[in-house]
Amino acid sequence: MRWWVWGLAPAVWAAVDEVGPGRPLGAIGDAPWATLQPGDTVLIHWRPQPYREKWVICRQGTREAPLVVRGVAGPAGELPVIDGNGAVT
């Protein structure tokens, strides 16, 4: 599920994509990496097991509207782990 954030001047619509358990996107590779736009955010939520994936970010943001990929902590402050060992595309 993408939701939109109305930015401050200049007016920009930015998408927020959420990855993780109980979220619209179950895997990091499900995020729309190829179509991200400046100002978009991908939130990767903590889960007990590491994410064993690899992906390519082929888009770029701007100084005023960067692309943001951010980890979201679990209930006890645990951060998501992305492990390239045995990763799949």
Side-chain angles (χ1 to χ4, degrees):
M1 175 181 188
R2 298 188 100 191
W3 47 284
W4 302 92
V5 177
W6 179 257
L8 300 177
V12 175
W13 286 98
V16 177
D17 294 289
E18 296 194 49
V19 176
R23 306 291 183 229
L25 305 171
I28 294 172
D30 295 337
W33 300 107
T35 58
L36 292 175
Q37 297 297 312
D40 288 354
T41 298
V42 177
L43 299 176
I44 302 173
H45 290 265
W46 173 83
R47 67 181 190 184
Q49 67 279 15
Y51 291 92
R52 297 193 188 279
E53 300 180 58
K54 54 185 175 179
W55 71 95
V56 175
I57 301 174
C58 56
R59 308 293 290 175
Q60 65 185 39
T62 66
R63 172 180 248 166
E64 297 79 23
L67 290 178
V68 176
V69 179
R70 179 177 300 140
V72 179
E78 319 92 315
L79 294 175
V81 173
I82 301 168
D83 187 347
N85 185 22
V88 298
T89 302

